[in-house]
Amino acid sequence: MRTRASVMSAAAAAFQREGYDRSSLARISKASGMSVGAVTFHFSSKEELANAVDRKGRSVTLTTVEQACAEPGTALRRLIGLTLHLARLMEEDPWVSAAIRLARERPQVPAWSAVWLPTVNELLDLASENGELRAGTPVGDVATLVEHLTAGAEVHVMYHRTDDDHESAVERMARLWCLILRGFSVDPSGVEPVTD
Amino acid sequence: MRTRASVMSAAAAAFQREGYDRSSLARISKASGMSVGAVTFHFSSKEELANAVDRKGRSVTLTTVEQACAEPGTALRRLIGLTLHLARLMEEDPWVSAAIRLARERPQVPAWSAVWLPTVNELLDLASENGELRAGTPVGDVATLVEHLTAGAEVHVMYHRTDDDHESAVERMARLWCLILRGFSVDPSGVEPVTD
């Protein structure tokens, strides 16, 4: 089983760095110090290997989501905490970052957000029931906001993975929540957009 | 020049749909109804063709940015209007959507946001000088928020381009601004995240 784990690690690194199309079984085998034959003993195709990495990334994510849900505090506080955990995973966890890229590049696979979006919605329903949201707040809009903030974190991580002194995605997410919660316009209703 | 334009159109469609790696000069030639020889008369390589599509997408974006800046209203209002225009371009303009994907897939090329981020910063400086922002608002945080909202729109468009009845990225962006400007937490300071 050690061989299988080494192949999966090498594959996750390749998928995250090069993407699905540019990663070949030959290169992944070389990176894991094994023959192509030894690799295909465990994974018959690149697709099967990608599926295994993807499952691992989703399973790591799900564990983190469950932990974030079990933290103390109001539902909205736990939701915000969850987004910081997601940002950390994107940045630090090799399985998760590979799974995110694999999901983007393989349209037949559900988006990575499918793992955590149901929990975001549950926490928001709870926040709404508990009176944590202002009257009239559409719960779905807050879920959409979380999706956009997370997408921004993903792009940030993608562009700055190799920089040594970039701001962490977690700090960036925390800054955004502070800005959003405090508000920043002196005339909010005067600048609201109107679409036809 | 009509040939050149047809090749560029076919290339933009291919790059947007299939990505850079999976698009070949042979397939682009076929889609534009020309021989590979006729295509390479205008563009010596796929890279050169991608560069031309990328330049066109950036130039369309720049024109829109300049128009959004010239609209009436406060700086913050124009900034929010600009984000709606960017969402529309992502969704509707074939050059822009191709340029966005090409920039994501070719790390040597600057991100698409490099076209509009300087204007976002100028509008925010103006909003700050004109007293449109609450005291103590870090201007850079609002710029970061704009980047995240735009990244979210990009992901939304990418996943729903082929759906017939999906919500438009423009409406989604407008919904988010309304939510953010109105605020949604009954206890904003109690849910602010703290990072170590």
Side-chain angles (χ1 to χ4, degrees), chain A:
Chain A
M1 288 311 285
R2 214 167 127 216
T3 317
R4 196 182 153 88
S6 312
V7 174
M8 277 182 65
S9 282
F15 290 139
Q16 182 264 300
R17 210 175 44 240
E18 307 287 338
Y20 183 73
D21 283 351
R22 290 186 197 179
S23 302
S24 68
L25 275 184
R27 284 173 75 177
I28 294 168
S29 307
K30 202 176 167 196
S32 59
M34 263 165 273
S35 68
V36 174
V39 169
T40 52
F41 174 77
H42 293 285
F43 301 95
S44 66
S45 65
K46 182 167 84 167
E47 192 185 359
E48 200 180 306
L49 186 47
N51 289 343
V53 169
D54 181 75
R55 273 196 302 277
K56 178 93 178 162
R58 286 172 200 264
S59 135
V60 168
T61 307
L62 198 58
T63 304
T64 299
V65 168
E66 283 163 2
Q67 283 165 353
C69 261
E71 280 171 11
T74 62
L76 200 50
R77 206 183 160 88
R78 281 181 285 155
L79 170 66
I80 290 170
L82 170 58
T83 65
L84 303 189
H85 285 299
L86 292 175
R88 184 180 49 75
L89 284 179
M90 284 180 195
E91 201 152 52
E92 295 178 4
D93 191 279
W95 306 109
V96 171
S97 48
I100 292 174
R101 182 155 186 179
L102 284 172
R104 295 266 179 255
E105 295 182 353
R106 301 192 305 160
Q108 72 280 20
V109 169
W112 175 63
S113 58
V115 182
W116 46 263
L117 217 39
T119 303
V120 165
N121 287 317
E122 279 166 32
L123 286 170
L124 280 171
D125 286 340
L126 195 59
S128 177
E129 280 169 35
N130 293 349
E132 297 171 38
L133 301 180
R134 287 203 197 180
T137 300
V139 167
D141 287 3
V142 189
T144 303
L145 177 63
V146 168
E147 285 187 85
H148 280 239
L149 294 179
T150 313
E154 187 188 324
V155 170
H156 175 74
V157 168
M158 189 167 76
Y159 274 106
H160 299 282
R161 200 177 287 283
T162 52
D163 295 4
D164 274 343
D165 60 346
H166 72 280
E167 184 186 24
S168 88
V170 179
E171 280 164 32
R172 215 169 138 96
M173 187 70 90
R175 266 202 298 128
L176 287 179
W177 279 119
C178 289
L179 176 79
I180 292 167
L181 289 162
R182 288 173 199 176
F184 52 84
S185 168
V186 294
D187 175 27
S189 59
V191 294
E192 271 188 23
V194 184
T195 53
D196 318 316

Side-chain angles (χ1 to χ4, degrees), chain B residues 52-79:
Chain B
V53 169
D54 181 76
R55 273 196 301 277
K56 178 91 180 164
R58 286 171 200 264
S59 135
V60 169
T61 306
L62 199 58
T63 304
T64 299
V65 168
E66 284 163 1
Q67 283 166 352
C69 262
E71 279 170 12
T74 62
L76 200 51
R77 206 183 160 88
R78 281 182 285 155
L79 170 65

